[in-house]
Amino acid sequence: MSMDLAESMLSRRGVSVNSIADIVLKLQQRYHPKLTIEQCEESVRAVLGKREVQYTLYTGIALDELAEKKLLPEPLQSIMEQDEPLYGVDETMALGVTSIYGMIGLTSFGYLDKEKIGVIEILNEKSDGIHVFLDDLVAGIAAAASSRIAHNNPDAAHYTAGSD
């Protein structure tokens, strides 16, 4: 298993690293005005390089694909087809991804889950398949990559202990 496989699976489902990086840029540009799309892509790839992220992505995509093929047992099949709002397992898995880089990732994920920015909105519209897990996982990856950039921002304020 590798980052290349994760990127390939995302691509097969209509999601590029660049489309996630675009979300990251929108989240961070206000706080990091010199940020480039290339830096955002690097951050997305760093998140995708984490094995726990890859495993979560593989699991979520597999469940979406099994639902599309109507291979899940009931009532899970119906829950997935309806994208049942109270299901929550999809968000729970995505929160595991966001937690890698701390609280900023969590708050960014909540924002993305409500606002459905960029490719997240396209996936959420369900026009070409079931993306119950993928839309939240993309939001989780974008939130984690955004948080990683925030933590590494060289212009962030630095505080020291006072000396008396």
Side-chain angles (χ1 to χ4, degrees), residues 9-110:
M9 291 179 78
L10 284 168
S11 178
R12 187 179 77 235
R13 301 293 290 174
V15 178
S16 67
V17 167
N18 183 268
S19 66
I20 300 172
D22 186 56
I23 296 167
V24 173
L25 186 63
K26 287 180 176 110
L27 288 173
Q28 280 298 308
Q29 201 163 35
R30 173 180 178 192
Y31 310 104
H32 196 321
K34 297 177 186 170
L35 188 64
T36 67
I37 192 71
E38 292 80 17
Q39 290 169 308
C40 295
E41 288 175 354
E42 175 194 335
S43 194
V44 170
R45 285 194 172 96
V47 171
L48 289 174
K50 302 260 184 206
R51 191 165 300 190
E52 66 242 63
V53 173
Q54 293 168 14
Y55 290 162
T56 304
L57 190 62
Y58 303 154
T59 302
I61 289 174
L63 288 168
D64 285 346
E65 290 176 341
L66 288 170
E68 287 174 354
K69 295 174 184 174
K70 300 191 179 295
L71 294 175
L72 295 174
E74 289 296 346
L76 185 56
Q77 182 66 43
S78 295
I79 291 168
M80 294 282 290
E81 287 175 358
Q82 296 301 313
D83 196 1
E84 172 60 45
L86 295 177
Y87 179 57
V89 177
D90 46 340
E91 283 90 359
T92 302
M93 284 177 58
L95 287 171
V97 172
T98 66
S99 69
I100 294 170
Y101 293 101
M103 192 55 68
I104 296 170
L106 176 65
T107 58
S108 293
F109 172 75

Side-chain angles (χ1 to χ4, degrees), residues 133-148:
F133 284 89
L134 187 56
D135 65 332
D136 291 307
L137 291 172
V138 167
I141 292 165
S146 174
S147 182
R148 180 180 177 275

